[in-house]
Each structure stands twice: as C-alpha cells, then as structure tokens.
Amino acid sequence: MIIGLIFLIVPGIIIGIRLIFTWFLIIDKKSSAMVAIKDSWRMTKGYSWTIFGMALLAIPIVLIGFILLLV
C-alpha cells in the first residue's frame, strides 16, 4: 500500500510542477490547451526542484501570515 501511494503521489507532484504555468499561458497568451501544456512543460524543464522548493517555502510563509492575521 505504501509503495502504491508513493507511485501515485510522487508522479502527481512532478506532473503538477511541470504543468504549473498552463493556466497562465492559456489566459495571458490566449493559447489553446495543448499548446499551453507543451509550453509549460518546456518552460519548467530544469527548474522543477526550484519550483518545488518555492512551493515548500510558501507553506510556512502562509502559516505565519494566518497566525499574524489572528493576532
């Protein structure tokens, strides 16, 4: 069960990181969905770990923001 979970979660994170700019390309460049997917895949090549690190860094920043909001 753990191995199945790893084979489900890890590829999902990788694909999610590689396709992170798809919506922005569709809205900003007014491109079709398939072109936006290909462009997003091409744009994030070599930057996957950087994007993943920024996403991990955003978690404590958001949590600190929520705590300060409550104060």
Side-chain angles (χ1 to χ4, degrees), residues 1-6:
M1 188 173 210
I2 302 271
I3 293 171
L5 185 65
I6 290 171

Side-chain angles (χ1 to χ4, degrees), residues 18-44:
R18 295 297 301 267
L19 299 177
I20 194 92
F21 295 118
T22 303
W23 287 109
F24 300 112
L25 290 169
I26 289 173
I27 293 169
D28 188 43
K29 302 286 184 185
K30 307 233 185 308
S31 58
S32 68
M34 290 306 296
V35 172
I37 290 171
K38 289 177 187 175
D39 286 345
S40 177
W41 197 268
R42 182 185 46 79
M43 287 170 61
T44 56

